[in-house]
Amino acid sequence: MTVTIQPTGISPADVLAVARGTAKVVLDPAAVDAMATSRSIVDGIEAAGRPVYGVSTGFGALANTFVAPERRAELQHALIRSHAAGVGAPMPREVVRAMMLLRVRSLALGRSGVRPLVAEALVDLLNHEVTPWVPEHGSLGASGDLAPLAHCALVLLGEGWVLGPAGERIPGGEALRRVGLAPIELAAKEGLALINGTDGMLGMLLMAVHDAQHLFAMADVTAALAIEAMLGSERPFLPELHAIRPHPGQAASAANIHKLLQNSAVMDSHRHDITHAVQDAYSMRCAPQVAGAARDTLDFVETVAGRELRSVVDNPVVLPDGRVESTGNFHGAPLGFAADYLAIAAAEVGAIAERRVDRLLDVTRSRDLPAFLSPDAGVNSGLMIAQYTAAGIVAENRRLAAPASVDSLPTSGMQEDHVSMGWAAAKKLRTVLDNLTSILAVELLAAVRGLQLRAPLTPSPAGRAALAALADAVGEPGPDVFLAPLMEAARDTVRGPELRTAIEREVGPLG
């Protein structure tokens, strides 16, 4: 696959193809022309000797310090070196690749005043799979992701570090030589344009949106399977009950769960039983209200990320009429708020799933299932400690759901006196979603075990697909086994597309 960067931008799918795959990147000729045009404006400013931030002045609190023409290239190189000040473990390859691609995207919009060769140098890194070593700590989310982007830009200069194939750290110059690339020299404004962006937090948010879309659908699957195993009712998911409270996410989630519970001998076994519970517990009956609210949150976050993907994020910006204006468009508040909001929603999707797991394992509430889903409880503990694991992860997600974006520490001599913490918000969102995968895996495992214990009753098509997906890993109910491999297999099943594809083949598309 090839992703072409045009002066109109790129799509979220393009970002995923480059970040998580090996798609090649090319610059559209129109984007090259747009960059050349904006660069000519910067060259004209230099020739005229006008004072312009980042072109002929220092940065941040040094914005009023004039820099002589003969030292302006030195200024840009010094900026990159001084700002590559991150510490900690390296960010994952996909985050760094997304960040580089998004910086190219912003430069290609023709408002940054850089020469095309600067964007082309970043494209070369992507196409040669040279991934800069970007430490996890360093960005405050304003002015954008300065330190992470500086670590990327430093490799263009033949300096810094690159992430090796085995996770080792390779000197940037050596990494360039290995693939036949040469360092570049920066001109006025170009160092600043390479680092003044929200690209790291945007890349993480775009990938989080994609992951959350899948996980929220899988949350409906695991909820339906757990409800089926607990002999719950399908009536709370009737469409007419959700039409009278018209939250779109709620309606979609309810429709999914209702669809997944059809054609089940397990459900048929108690549908007309007068001794059956009149009302199911909240964790069963209110599943669409919680998961649906998370879906609506996700829609908002997707809108914010889409707007940012169409934005020029730099400071200063070069306008077509020749003006170079200072902006605050690098501030990450829109992305920080969105990431925090989605983390809260995802944490709650996991929290209600863990409550269903607890009910499945509790002999007093699971409607005749054996304690902890073990046929021989006492000598055996069944899935008791799997629920402990889920509960511990729920607690961690609650801590991570505390918003990062309400925090701010002033920097740069009080010039940058309010920052977004958007990088931190997006980074912890990734952890929340990874944790949600594990919680849903525990629910899937418990639901499958519960459905196995309802035999000889035949479960729904979704239940049969889940049993088939985990058959080799889970086996039949019996004495205790080493549980961690079963949980890992369930986690792989939740994360991958195969189970959802198998279910949709039987019941039709899920909303």
Side-chain angles (χ1 to χ4, degrees):
M1 179 181 176
T2 299
V3 169
T4 301
I5 301 181
Q6 301 177 350
T8 53
I10 56 177
S11 71
D14 293 333
V15 176
L16 290 166
V18 173
R20 291 180 166 169
T22 56
K24 298 300 181 183
V25 180
V26 297
L27 286 165
D28 188 274
V32 173
D33 291 343
M35 287 185 281
T37 299
S38 71
R39 181 64 204 183
S40 67
I41 294 173
V42 173
D43 290 339
I45 290 170
E46 278 219 280
R50 287 160 42 201
V52 172
Y53 174 73
V55 176
S56 56
T57 74
F59 309 108
L62 301 175
N64 294 321
T65 302
F66 180 77
V67 177
E70 64 273 13
R71 303 198 68 188
R72 288 174 188 170
E74 178 188 351
L75 168 70
Q76 302 301 315
H77 287 246
L79 172 72
I80 299 302
R81 293 180 183 120
S82 66
H83 284 51
V87 296
M91 291 299 290
R93 170 188 182 274
E94 65 178 22
V95 173
V96 179
R97 285 180 63 82
M99 184 163 50
M100 288 194 294
L101 177 70
L102 290 167
R103 185 75 317 230
V104 175
R105 173 212 67 90
S106 189
L107 299 178
L109 295 177
R111 296 289 184 271
S112 292
V114 303
R115 294 167 296 163
L117 74 83
V118 175
E120 289 163 353
L122 281 172
V123 168
D124 284 340
L125 293 188
L126 290 167
N127 289 341
H128 286 85
E129 298 189 36
V130 176
T131 303
W133 176 293
V134 177
E136 62 178 324
H137 300 298
S139 174
L140 298 178
S143 302
D145 294 317
L146 289 173
L149 285 165
H151 278 274
C152 291
L154 199 55
V155 175
L156 298 179
L157 309 183
E159 303 175 25
W161 301 319
V162 166
L163 190 64
E168 73 276 24
R169 197 159 65 187
I170 302 171
E174 179 184 338
L176 292 183
R177 286 192 297 273
R178 286 183 184 183
V179 297
L181 296 177
I184 66 170
E185 294 287 331
L186 299 177
K189 174 67 171 67
E190 292 177 338
L192 189 58
L194 280 169
I195 66 174
N196 231 311
T198 57
D199 309 293
M201 57 188 112
L202 176 58
M204 287 190 278
L205 192 61
L206 287 167
M207 288 186 284
V209 166
H210 177 266
D211 295 343
Q213 287 169 339
H214 173 70
L215 288 173
F216 290 175
M218 291 304 295
D220 289 340
V221 170
T222 60
L225 297 177
I227 290 165
E228 184 177 8
M230 285 187 284
L231 305 183
S233 174
E234 67 194 32
R235 297 187 65 78
F237 313 113
L238 291 168
E240 55 268 32
L241 301 181
H242 299 275
I244 59 178
R245 193 190 191 197
H247 295 290
Q250 177 181 321
S253 181
N256 283 346
I257 296 173
H258 190 266
K259 179 187 292 187
L260 292 163
L261 291 173
Q262 302 308 303
N263 303 311
S264 165
V266 175
M267 298 298 293
D268 292 342
S269 69
H270 61 85
R271 185 170 283 111
H272 304 295
D273 186 347
I274 60 173
T275 65
H276 199 72
V278 175
Q279 281 196 140
D280 289 330
Y282 282 10
S283 61
M284 302 162 70
R285 180 166 31 117
C286 300
Q289 283 75 10
V290 174
R295 286 168 171 266
D296 291 341
T297 301
L298 178 58
D299 285 346
F300 165 75
V301 173
E302 187 175 14
T303 297
V304 171
R307 289 177 187 143
E308 191 75 358
L309 192 57
R310 300 190 299 273
S311 299
V312 175
V313 182
D314 201 351
N315 181 52
V317 294
V318 181
L319 298 177
D321 61 8
R323 285 179 293 149
V324 178
E325 297 285 359
S326 179
T327 82
N329 286 347
F330 49 75
H331 200 287
L335 303 181
F337 293 165
D340 280 336
Y341 192 12
L342 186 54
I344 291 169
E348 279 302 282
V349 172
I352 196 170
E354 184 276 332
R355 290 292 79 207
R356 290 189 294 266
V357 172
D358 185 57
R359 295 189 73 82
L360 270 166
L361 272 57
D362 185 351
V363 69
T364 67
R365 296 178 290 150
S366 63
R367 295 172 182 161
D368 302 321
L369 289 171
F372 303 108
L373 301 178
S374 172
D376 185 21
V379 172
N380 294 284
S381 297
L383 299 185
M384 178 192 293
I385 308 304
Q387 185 265 328
Y388 283 32
T389 299
I393 296 172
V394 166
E396 181 182 31
N397 271 359
R398 286 173 176 162
R399 293 190 294 272
L400 291 170
S405 56
V406 298
D407 197 3
S408 178
L409 291 168
T411 57
S412 193
M414 294 301 287
Q415 173 75 1
E416 298 168 6
D417 56 355
H418 184 277
V419 296
S420 77
M421 297 296 181
W423 172 275
K427 189 158 69 77
K428 71 183 181 66
L429 169 60
R430 288 170 60 84
T431 304
V432 170
L433 291 173
D434 188 63
N435 285 345
L436 175 58
T437 305
S438 297
I439 297 168
L440 296 180
V442 174
E443 183 172 30
L444 176 63
L445 180 60
V448 163
R449 188 63 90 208
L451 290 173
Q452 288 176 322
L453 291 164
R454 294 296 182 190
L457 295 174
T458 304
S460 63
R464 295 196 298 272
L467 266 61
L470 289 176
D472 292 340
V474 171
E476 293 297 320
D480 283 352
V481 297
F482 179 24
L483 202 51
L486 277 63
M487 294 168 66
E488 287 188 359
R491 183 178 151 85
D492 290 342
T493 301
V494 167
R495 185 171 48 203
E498 291 81 7
L499 177 56
R500 179 175 177 179
T501 299
I503 289 172
E504 291 183 327
R505 192 179 301 122
E506 296 294 328
V507 305
L510 298 177

